[in-house]
Structures are given as C-alpha cells and as structure tokens.
Amino acid sequence: MRTYVQRRVARVGGARRLLLLGLVGLMAIHQPGCTATAMRGGEGTDNPDLDRPAMSVTLDRDDITYLVADYLKTLEASAFWQGTINNAAQPPIVAIWPIQNATTQHLDDQLLTLLSSIETALVNTNRVRVVDRASQDALIRELGVQAGAAYDPQTAQRFGRQLGAQYLFTGKVTSVDERLNNLRRVQYSLFLQVLELETGQIRFQNEVTRSKAVKG
C-alpha cells in the first residue's frame, strides 16, 4: 500500500514532484534500521575489547603489538643484548632501516605502525638511543630509498654513518597464504636482524610468527 506522501507524489509534477521525491528520500534515510551506528572502543570505554576480534586476515594493530613484543622479549634475553648492550659504557645509538614488505598484500599503513612500534619498544628499554624517525625518514628520502625497500649493505652503512648509529635494525614481513575449502589462513612472519655498522656483522636475528584465518 502506498503512503500518503507517495500518493501526493503521483498527483503532482514538475518542481513540486522533485521536492516531494526528495522528501521521500529523506524519510527513507531516517527510517529505523537504515542508519549506521558508531561506537568507541578501548580502555576506559563501554567496549574495552572492541579491538580484540579479527576483522580480516590482514595484519592489524593487535598482531603488530604481539610481533614486536615477542621479538623484543627474545632480543633482550639474547647474549648480544645481555653482553654488549647492557655492558656498554653508554647506551649505543641505533637506527631502523625501512621494513620490507615481502608479502603480496598492500601493507603501507601496517608497516608504518610496525616501525613506530619498534621505535617505541626500543626507546622504552632505556638501553639504547634511537635516532628520531623524522631524521631517519629525511635521510632515507635523500638517499633515494623507497619505503619498504630491500636491505642494501652499502646504502645502509652510509645511512648509519650519517646518523651516527652503531647498530641498524633491518628486516621484512613475509606471509604464506593457504586455502582449503571455505577456509583461508595467512601465516605472517616478522624477521628482524641487528647489524653492527662498523663491521657489517649480524649481531642478532630472530623471526616471530602470527596466523590469521577466516571462513567463508
């Protein structure tokens, strides 16, 4: 059955008809069930666990937090950290080379978040001095290095020397994507190593993994 407004639209024409059609559209927008509902989540809200469920198989902030925390835990327990870093006369200067995206996914935003998380985690150890990311980014652009570029020893050593860094963190994110029937699983790996720029030696390296899956 047609509504009163719809019957009125049928009886008139021209400009008045366009006006009434607009009115019908507005009424439809404001009908119950047609509007989106926004909510706020996180600590201190009514939805503290909003960020916990996975929305897709793409890396999210929870995955990145896990990968960085697990890597740092192993790093701090390593012989390199316990012997060289903790026993240094003063905290050594470290820099972070762009993390390479070795997956088939578009992860630019995730890699920026990953770099920031690594930087924050290293700063909070109070055992190393981390070169400011803005300074690193400016020098990377000056050297003509693309975001997420593969590690290049000669360019990286020049990069480290100009920043006054003694150690360089470099690495990549890889993934294995599998499907079986209606299940898709993606296994991510964060591989990071610490290079001593003076000698080019690898002083520490570790790989941390995280899996995501979706049905349907």
Side-chain angles (χ1 to χ4, degrees), residues 2 38-39 55 79-80 105 110-111 114 158 161 174 189 195 197 205-206 212 214:
R2 294 188 301 179
M39 64 181 71
M55 300 291 289
F80 162 70
Q105 300 182 38
Q110 288 88 340
L111 291 179
L114 178 61
R158 180 184 168 196
R161 284 195 299 269
T174 63
S189 294
L195 301 175
L197 287 167
Q205 66 182 26
N206 189 45
K212 304 288 288 289
V214 63

PDB file of all heavy atoms in Angstrom, residues 2 38-39 55 79-80 105 110-111 114 158 161 174 189 195 197 205-206 212 214:
ATOM      1  N   ARG A   2       0.537   2.234  -0.843  1.00  0.00           N
ATOM      2  CA  ARG A   2       1.351   3.443  -0.926  1.00  0.00           C
ATOM      3  C   ARG A   2       1.071   4.363   0.250  1.00  0.00           C
ATOM      4  O   ARG A   2      -0.051   4.448   0.743  1.00  0.00           O
ATOM      5  CB  ARG A   2       1.077   4.179  -2.241  1.00  0.00           C
ATOM      6  CG  ARG A   2       1.525   3.380  -3.478  1.00  0.00           C
ATOM      7  CD  ARG A   2       1.428   4.208  -4.714  1.00  0.00           C
ATOM      8  NE  ARG A   2       0.057   4.669  -4.943  1.00  0.00           N
ATOM      9  CZ  ARG A   2      -0.279   5.447  -5.979  1.00  0.00           C
ATOM     10  NH1 ARG A   2       0.645   5.848  -6.833  1.00  0.00           N
ATOM     11  NH2 ARG A   2      -1.546   5.815  -6.157  1.00  0.00           N
ATOM     12  N   ALA A  38      27.775   4.076  15.283  1.00  0.00           N
ATOM     13  CA  ALA A  38      29.199   4.168  15.611  1.00  0.00           C
ATOM     14  C   ALA A  38      29.396   3.867  17.085  1.00  0.00           C
ATOM     15  O   ALA A  38      28.503   4.107  17.909  1.00  0.00           O
ATOM     16  CB  ALA A  38      29.726   5.566  15.283  1.00  0.00           C
ATOM     17  N   MET A  39      30.540   3.336  17.414  1.00  0.00           N
ATOM     18  CA  MET A  39      30.843   3.069  18.815  1.00  0.00           C
ATOM     19  C   MET A  39      32.319   3.319  19.070  1.00  0.00           C
ATOM     20  O   MET A  39      33.138   3.250  18.155  1.00  0.00           O
ATOM     21  CB  MET A  39      30.476   1.627  19.195  1.00  0.00           C
ATOM     22  CG  MET A  39      31.270   0.551  18.479  1.00  0.00           C
ATOM     23  SD  MET A  39      30.761  -1.117  18.968  1.00  0.00           S
ATOM     24  CE  MET A  39      29.154  -1.208  18.178  1.00  0.00           C
ATOM     25  N   MET A  55      39.113  -8.651  12.179  1.00  0.00           N
ATOM     26  CA  MET A  55      38.144  -8.223  11.168  1.00  0.00           C
ATOM     27  C   MET A  55      38.455  -8.813   9.792  1.00  0.00           C
ATOM     28  O   MET A  55      37.604  -8.829   8.913  1.00  0.00           O
ATOM     29  CB  MET A  55      38.141  -6.697  11.076  1.00  0.00           C
ATOM     30  CG  MET A  55      37.763  -5.992  12.373  1.00  0.00           C
ATOM     31  SD  MET A  55      36.038  -6.217  12.808  1.00  0.00           S
ATOM     32  CE  MET A  55      35.251  -5.201  11.557  1.00  0.00           C
ATOM     33  N   ALA A  79      72.330 -13.133  24.074  1.00  0.00           N
ATOM     34  CA  ALA A  79      73.698 -12.876  24.534  1.00  0.00           C
ATOM     35  C   ALA A  79      74.182 -11.516  24.040  1.00  0.00           C
ATOM     36  O   ALA A  79      74.927 -10.808  24.749  1.00  0.00           O
ATOM     37  CB  ALA A  79      74.615 -13.989  24.031  1.00  0.00           C
ATOM     38  N   PHE A  80      73.763 -11.125  22.830  1.00  0.00           N
ATOM     39  CA  PHE A  80      74.154  -9.813  22.292  1.00  0.00           C
ATOM     40  C   PHE A  80      73.666  -8.685  23.202  1.00  0.00           C
ATOM     41  O   PHE A  80      74.428  -7.786  23.566  1.00  0.00           O
ATOM     42  CB  PHE A  80      73.572  -9.642  20.885  1.00  0.00           C
ATOM     43  CG  PHE A  80      73.536  -8.209  20.403  1.00  0.00           C
ATOM     44  CD1 PHE A  80      74.705  -7.535  20.101  1.00  0.00           C
ATOM     45  CD2 PHE A  80      72.326  -7.534  20.275  1.00  0.00           C
ATOM     46  CE1 PHE A  80      74.675  -6.201  19.673  1.00  0.00           C
ATOM     47  CE2 PHE A  80      72.283  -6.216  19.846  1.00  0.00           C
ATOM     48  CZ  PHE A  80      73.460  -5.555  19.543  1.00  0.00           C
ATOM     49  N   GLN A 105      50.473  -8.464  -0.230  1.00  0.00           N
ATOM     50  CA  GLN A 105      49.439  -7.545   0.216  1.00  0.00           C
ATOM     51  C   GLN A 105      49.946  -6.106   0.255  1.00  0.00           C
ATOM     52  O   GLN A 105      51.148  -5.862   0.337  1.00  0.00           O
ATOM     53  CB  GLN A 105      48.939  -7.937   1.612  1.00  0.00           C
ATOM     54  CG  GLN A 105      48.347  -9.327   1.694  1.00  0.00           C
ATOM     55  CD  GLN A 105      47.839  -9.633   3.089  1.00  0.00           C
ATOM     56  OE1 GLN A 105      47.281  -8.779   3.771  1.00  0.00           O
ATOM     57  NE2 GLN A 105      48.047 -10.862   3.538  1.00  0.00           N
ATOM     58  N   GLN A 110      50.329  -0.576   7.723  1.00  0.00           N
ATOM     59  CA  GLN A 110      50.772  -1.517   8.753  1.00  0.00           C
ATOM     60  C   GLN A 110      52.276  -1.418   8.993  1.00  0.00           C
ATOM     61  O   GLN A 110      52.741  -1.508  10.133  1.00  0.00           O
ATOM     62  CB  GLN A 110      50.403  -2.949   8.360  1.00  0.00           C
ATOM     63  CG  GLN A 110      48.925  -3.257   8.445  1.00  0.00           C
ATOM     64  CD  GLN A 110      48.165  -2.920   7.171  1.00  0.00           C
ATOM     65  OE1 GLN A 110      48.625  -2.126   6.339  1.00  0.00           O
ATOM     66  NE2 GLN A 110      47.002  -3.522   6.995  1.00  0.00           N
ATOM     67  N   LEU A 111      53.048  -1.213   7.920  1.00  0.00           N
ATOM     68  CA  LEU A 111      54.495  -1.105   8.079  1.00  0.00           C
ATOM     69  C   LEU A 111      54.883   0.167   8.823  1.00  0.00           C
ATOM     70  O   LEU A 111      55.843   0.177   9.606  1.00  0.00           O
ATOM     71  CB  LEU A 111      55.182  -1.154   6.714  1.00  0.00           C
ATOM     72  CG  LEU A 111      55.131  -2.513   5.999  1.00  0.00           C
ATOM     73  CD1 LEU A 111      55.821  -2.432   4.648  1.00  0.00           C
ATOM     74  CD2 LEU A 111      55.771  -3.596   6.853  1.00  0.00           C
ATOM     75  N   LEU A 114      54.223  -0.604  12.326  1.00  0.00           N
ATOM     76  CA  LEU A 114      55.252  -1.527  12.792  1.00  0.00           C
ATOM     77  C   LEU A 114      56.542  -0.784  13.136  1.00  0.00           C
ATOM     78  O   LEU A 114      57.151  -1.019  14.192  1.00  0.00           O
ATOM     79  CB  LEU A 114      55.516  -2.581  11.717  1.00  0.00           C
ATOM     80  CG  LEU A 114      56.600  -3.616  12.007  1.00  0.00           C
ATOM     81  CD1 LEU A 114      56.251  -4.442  13.233  1.00  0.00           C
ATOM     82  CD2 LEU A 114      56.797  -4.517  10.793  1.00  0.00           C
ATOM     83  N   ARG A 158      76.103   3.721   4.717  1.00  0.00           N
ATOM     84  CA  ARG A 158      76.158   5.179   4.543  1.00  0.00           C
ATOM     85  C   ARG A 158      75.073   5.849   5.395  1.00  0.00           C
ATOM     86  O   ARG A 158      75.301   6.856   6.046  1.00  0.00           O
ATOM     87  CB  ARG A 158      75.970   5.520   3.073  1.00  0.00           C
ATOM     88  CG  ARG A 158      76.012   7.018   2.766  1.00  0.00           C
ATOM     89  CD  ARG A 158      75.728   7.256   1.299  1.00  0.00           C
ATOM     90  NE  ARG A 158      75.483   8.661   1.014  1.00  0.00           N
ATOM     91  CZ  ARG A 158      74.919   9.107  -0.094  1.00  0.00           C
ATOM     92  NH1 ARG A 158      74.524   8.249  -1.024  1.00  0.00           N
ATOM     93  NH2 ARG A 158      74.721  10.397  -0.273  1.00  0.00           N
ATOM     94  N   ARG A 161      76.165   5.704   9.098  1.00  0.00           N
ATOM     95  CA  ARG A 161      77.256   6.630   9.410  1.00  0.00           C
ATOM     96  C   ARG A 161      76.751   8.065   9.504  1.00  0.00           C
ATOM     97  O   ARG A 161      77.151   8.826  10.395  1.00  0.00           O
ATOM     98  CB  ARG A 161      78.360   6.510   8.359  1.00  0.00           C
ATOM     99  CG  ARG A 161      79.239   5.282   8.506  1.00  0.00           C
ATOM    100  CD  ARG A 161      80.510   5.425   7.685  1.00  0.00           C
ATOM    101  NE  ARG A 161      80.218   5.566   6.258  1.00  0.00           N
ATOM    102  CZ  ARG A 161      80.134   4.552   5.407  1.00  0.00           C
ATOM    103  NH1 ARG A 161      80.317   3.305   5.849  1.00  0.00           N
ATOM    104  NH2 ARG A 161      79.888   4.750   4.132  1.00  0.00           N
ATOM    105  N   THR A 174      56.964 -11.337   5.875  1.00  0.00           N
ATOM    106  CA  THR A 174      56.607 -12.303   4.849  1.00  0.00           C
ATOM    107  C   THR A 174      55.271 -12.955   5.211  1.00  0.00           C
ATOM    108  O   THR A 174      54.795 -12.820   6.339  1.00  0.00           O
ATOM    109  CB  THR A 174      57.680 -13.405   4.713  1.00  0.00           C
ATOM    110  OG1 THR A 174      57.748 -14.140   5.952  1.00  0.00           O
ATOM    111  CG2 THR A 174      59.039 -12.800   4.420  1.00  0.00           C
ATOM    112  N   SER A 189      55.181 -13.648   9.129  1.00  0.00           N
ATOM    113  CA  SER A 189      56.448 -13.727   9.853  1.00  0.00           C
ATOM    114  C   SER A 189      57.123 -12.361   9.835  1.00  0.00           C
ATOM    115  O   SER A 189      57.200 -11.720   8.776  1.00  0.00           O
ATOM    116  CB  SER A 189      57.389 -14.761   9.220  1.00  0.00           C
ATOM    117  OG  SER A 189      56.871 -16.065   9.353  1.00  0.00           O
ATOM    118  N   LEU A 195      72.361  -5.287  12.793  1.00  0.00           N
ATOM    119  CA  LEU A 195      73.663  -5.245  12.132  1.00  0.00           C
ATOM    120  C   LEU A 195      74.590  -4.264  12.842  1.00  0.00           C
ATOM    121  O   LEU A 195      74.177  -3.159  13.201  1.00  0.00           O
ATOM    122  CB  LEU A 195      73.503  -4.819  10.676  1.00  0.00           C
ATOM    123  CG  LEU A 195      72.602  -5.689   9.794  1.00  0.00           C
ATOM    124  CD1 LEU A 195      72.464  -5.053   8.422  1.00  0.00           C
ATOM    125  CD2 LEU A 195      73.149  -7.087   9.681  1.00  0.00           C
ATOM    126  N   LEU A 197      77.199  -1.726  12.242  1.00  0.00           N
ATOM    127  CA  LEU A 197      77.522  -0.999  11.017  1.00  0.00           C
ATOM    128  C   LEU A 197      79.025  -0.906  10.756  1.00  0.00           C
ATOM    129  O   LEU A 197      79.453  -0.877   9.602  1.00  0.00           O
ATOM    130  CB  LEU A 197      76.913   0.400  11.088  1.00  0.00           C
ATOM    131  CG  LEU A 197      75.390   0.407  10.906  1.00  0.00           C
ATOM    132  CD1 LEU A 197      74.798   1.742  11.303  1.00  0.00           C
ATOM    133  CD2 LEU A 197      75.017   0.068   9.475  1.00  0.00           C
ATOM    134  N   GLN A 205      69.499 -11.968  15.236  1.00  0.00           N
ATOM    135  CA  GLN A 205      68.356 -12.042  14.340  1.00  0.00           C
ATOM    136  C   GLN A 205      67.341 -13.034  14.896  1.00  0.00           C
ATOM    137  O   GLN A 205      67.695 -13.969  15.606  1.00  0.00           O
ATOM    138  CB  GLN A 205      68.760 -12.432  12.921  1.00  0.00           C
ATOM    139  CG  GLN A 205      69.313 -13.825  12.753  1.00  0.00           C
ATOM    140  CD  GLN A 205      69.722 -14.085  11.308  1.00  0.00           C
ATOM    141  OE1 GLN A 205      70.052 -13.166  10.561  1.00  0.00           O
ATOM    142  NE2 GLN A 205      69.697 -15.342  10.897  1.00  0.00           N
ATOM    143  N   ASN A 206      66.091 -12.779  14.583  1.00  0.00           N
ATOM    144  CA  ASN A 206      65.026 -13.631  15.087  1.00  0.00           C
ATOM    145  C   ASN A 206      63.802 -13.471  14.196  1.00  0.00           C
ATOM    146  O   ASN A 206      63.617 -12.448  13.533  1.00  0.00           O
ATOM    147  CB  ASN A 206      64.673 -13.276  16.527  1.00  0.00           C
ATOM    148  CG  ASN A 206      63.725 -14.286  17.156  1.00  0.00           C
ATOM    149  OD1 ASN A 206      63.909 -15.492  17.027  1.00  0.00           O
ATOM    150  ND2 ASN A 206      62.695 -13.807  17.815  1.00  0.00           N
ATOM    151  N   LYS A 212      46.491 -15.722  10.891  1.00  0.00           N
ATOM    152  CA  LYS A 212      45.126 -15.213  10.801  1.00  0.00           C
ATOM    153  C   LYS A 212      44.340 -16.168   9.903  1.00  0.00           C
ATOM    154  O   LYS A 212      44.887 -16.707   8.954  1.00  0.00           O
ATOM    155  CB  LYS A 212      45.099 -13.800  10.197  1.00  0.00           C
ATOM    156  CG  LYS A 212      45.950 -12.761  10.895  1.00  0.00           C
ATOM    157  CD  LYS A 212      45.359 -12.340  12.238  1.00  0.00           C
ATOM    158  CE  LYS A 212      44.118 -11.483  12.114  1.00  0.00           C
ATOM    159  NZ  LYS A 212      44.370 -10.121  11.631  1.00  0.00           N
ATOM    160  N   VAL A 214      40.123 -16.980   8.184  1.00  0.00           N
ATOM    161  CA  VAL A 214      38.738 -16.561   8.000  1.00  0.00           C
ATOM    162  C   VAL A 214      37.994 -17.675   7.257  1.00  0.00           C
ATOM    163  O   VAL A 214      38.550 -18.328   6.373  1.00  0.00           O
ATOM    164  CB  VAL A 214      38.662 -15.228   7.228  1.00  0.00           C
ATOM    165  CG1 VAL A 214      39.217 -15.369   5.826  1.00  0.00           C
ATOM    166  CG2 VAL A 214      37.232 -14.705   7.197  1.00  0.00           C
TER     167      VAL A 214
END
